[in-house]
Amino acid sequence: TSNGGQTWKSLIPNLDNIQFFRIYSPDPDTMLLIGWYKWLINSANGGKTFTEEKYPSIPEFNIVSYRHPSDMYMVNSEIGYIVGDTIVWKTTDGTKTWIPIMIWSYRGALMHNVFFPSEKVGFILGIYDIAGDSTRPYFAADLLFRTQDGGKTWDTLHYGNPRICLQLYFWNTLKGMMLCNGGVILKTIDGGNSWYEVPNPPKINNKLVDLGCVNFFNDQIGFISAQGGRIFISTDAGESWKMDLDLGITQFKKYAYLWRFIFPDSNTVMVAGVEGILKKKIDFKKLSVPVVEESPISNYLWISLVQNPVSSVLKGKYYWHFSESKSVFLKIYDIMGREVRDVTRDLLPNTKDSVVELTTDISSLPNGVYLLVLSAGGNARSERFVVSK
């Protein structure tokens, strides 16, 4: 497409009906494709002709298990990574050459997803079969690797966990998420050292559903696809999800497989499925502003703050009627509606009968007006405070 997705022209190369599942296109003329049982397919003339590349040679390494790459991630126009089976490859010259930087010796493994939030820090997901017991001789287990030096060394964060995770997404080097089988979403806020389950993942009829893909427009607003062509939206950095009926496609079975979300501009979301691409205009600015009630008093929840504008701490007492603590969120927003701090994790460990007293350090916040938002069970309460140093 050359007009923002209004019309499309087919550029399918004649390469034995290869199923392509990854593409990188830094400019209108250049394309780099990944397909089953092939290394890379290149086009330098906008898709008029395609060239099939062979596997780069690996000196003194003879193995036949790496039959095809599984995923590709370009950090920028020069640096990128490809994973496939037991090998991780890296380019530093804009995909001209690829060098293996990690080879995992376990036969039968599959590294299938790679994500680099920065040039130095990156993560790789994989799976492999391990021996069990008499009731289950073999079962699939997950792998999670992390590098903090651009692929020179790797940490093994997960090893042998039977919960298979399928896709990574990171906002930055510390904050990220994984989509796992059974509809579970795991998040980290410390660069992958620890993970916790998202308290309100996508559900249909109050049941978890298999997830497909995820992408975020900014640090708060994102979309996720689920089985049956459903699309869910989050406005709180993936902590909670609700079905997005506004896209108007949640009941169309022909879009049962939705694989990719992109945001072509500041008010558009596009989603690609097995049988088509859908495009929708959305006011992302409105979604970024938290919807709160003005009155600080409620029968269901309230906030009581004690704060001196020049103080470095914010003292608050919080109450909510809802007994399920996992559905409670406490966050600080700036006057533009952008989240600046999530203090939910400080709130929940202190929960006793849904009444909590909490002191929050705000010394790092710049001068300005802020909004403290407490939400529980679909209700929200806010209280404004001022930082003036």
Side-chain angles (χ1 to χ4, degrees):
T1 182
S2 57
N3 53 16
Q6 297 180 41
T7 59
W8 294 82
K9 178 183 177 182
S10 176
L11 299 176
I12 299 176
N14 184 18
L15 292 169
D16 300 326
N17 296 319
I18 298 172
Q19 180 184 1
F20 296 107
F21 51 86
R22 290 291 184 271
I23 182 171
Y24 169 63
S25 182
D27 57 67
D29 292 327
T30 306
M31 281 181 284
L32 189 66
L33 305 174
I34 284 180
W36 290 112
Y37 298 101
K38 300 293 180 181
W39 170 240
L40 295 173
I41 310 296
N42 274 320
S43 177
N45 52 17
K48 295 178 182 178
T49 59
F50 291 85
T51 302
E52 180 181 346
E53 295 187 13
K54 296 182 179 180
Y55 284 102
S57 62
I58 305 178
E60 299 180 2
F61 184 73
N62 182 19
I63 189 170
V64 296
S65 66
Y66 62 101
R67 296 167 298 181
H68 59 79
S70 300
D71 195 19
M72 172 173 57
Y73 190 91
M74 297 298 297
V75 182
N76 51 45
S77 60
E78 296 296 321
I79 300 175
Y81 297 84
I82 285 178
V83 297
D85 291 331
T86 60
I87 302 180
V88 181
W89 308 81
K90 181 178 181 178
T91 181
T92 57
D93 56 10
T95 75
K96 294 183 180 68
T97 59
W98 294 87
I99 299 174
I101 59 172
M102 182 176 74
I103 300 174
W104 202 54
S105 59
Y106 195 95
R107 297 289 295 271
L110 172 63
M111 300 184 196
H112 57 75
N113 190 222
V114 55
F115 197 105
F116 272 72
S118 72
E119 286 190 14
K120 297 295 185 181
V121 178
F123 299 83
I124 290 175
L125 276 176
I127 57 175
Y128 72 109
D129 291 334
I130 62 177
D133 51 32
S134 59
T135 61
R136 188 170 54 168
Y138 293 94
F139 62 95
D142 78 335
L143 291 165
L144 176 61
F145 298 109
R146 176 185 63 189
T147 181
Q148 301 183 83
D149 54 14
K152 295 178 182 178
T153 60
W154 294 84
D155 302 321
T156 304
L157 301 182
H158 281 193
Y159 183 86
N161 190 334
R163 172 176 287 157
I164 305 302
C165 296
L166 306 172
Q167 186 178 359
L168 292 161
Y169 182 88
F170 277 79
W171 292 267
N172 51 51
T173 57
L174 295 177
K175 186 178 179 182
M177 64 191 303
M178 294 191 293
L179 308 187
C180 304
N181 59 351
V184 174
I185 300 177
L186 302 180
K187 280 188 67 176
T188 180
I189 59 175
D190 58 9
N193 292 319
S194 62
W195 299 81
Y196 67 95
E197 285 194 27
V198 167
N200 188 19
K203 293 182 179 180
I204 298 177
N205 297 327
N206 206 32
K207 294 182 178 180
L208 294 175
V209 292
D210 290 333
L211 305 175
C213 62
V214 62
N215 198 9
F216 275 76
F217 171 71
N218 54 30
D219 60 351
Q220 296 297 306
I221 301 171
F223 293 89
I224 204 168
S225 68
Q227 65 186 38
R230 267 74 169 187
I231 293 178
F232 291 78
I233 185 172
S234 174
T235 56
D236 57 5
E239 290 291 322
S240 62
W241 297 85
K242 64 179 180 180
M243 192 178 293
D244 185 17
L245 300 177
D246 185 49
L247 285 178
I249 62 168
T250 56
Q251 303 302 321
F252 289 106
K253 292 184 178 180
K254 66 178 181 178
Y255 294 110
Y257 298 98
L258 304 173
W259 295 120
R260 185 64 56 88
F261 291 101
I262 64 169
F263 308 101
D265 53 52
S266 60
N267 66 344
T268 305
V269 59
M270 297 180 70
V271 55
V274 169
E275 297 186 31
I277 295 179
L278 302 166
K279 184 177 180 180
K280 182 71 175 182
K281 295 291 184 180
I282 292 180
D283 192 340
F284 288 111
K285 291 183 179 180
K286 284 186 177 180
L287 292 175
S288 298
V289 179
V291 179
V292 297
E293 301 176 31
E294 292 298 326
S295 172
I297 304 299
S298 169
N299 293 327
Y300 296 101
L301 65 166
W302 49 260
I303 304 173
S304 176
L305 293 182
V306 178
Q307 189 249 343
N308 186 317
V310 298
S311 173
S312 62
V313 298
L314 184 68
K315 296 181 179 180
K317 190 173 184 179
Y318 311 93
Y319 164 80
W320 60 93
H321 176 70
F322 309 95
S323 59
E324 181 56 55
S325 62
K326 287 185 178 180
S327 66
V328 180
F329 306 100
L330 182 65
K331 299 183 179 182
I332 297 175
Y333 297 85
D334 64 16
I335 197 64
M336 299 300 294
R338 295 170 296 198
E339 181 184 330
V340 297
R341 184 173 301 174
D342 186 347
V343 292
T344 305
R345 292 176 67 83
D346 296 328
L347 180 72
L348 294 181
N350 298 281
T351 301
K352 292 182 179 179
D353 300 326
S354 299
V355 179
V356 175
E357 293 187 26
L358 181 65
T359 299
T360 303
D361 184 359
I362 57 172
S363 59
S364 62
L365 294 180
N367 292 347
V369 180
Y370 295 88
L371 199 66
L372 184 68
V373 178
L374 174 69
S375 61
N379 294 269
R381 190 63 55 187
S382 67
E383 187 74 18
R384 289 177 175 84
F385 66 94
V386 179
V387 176
S388 178
K389 303 174 184 177

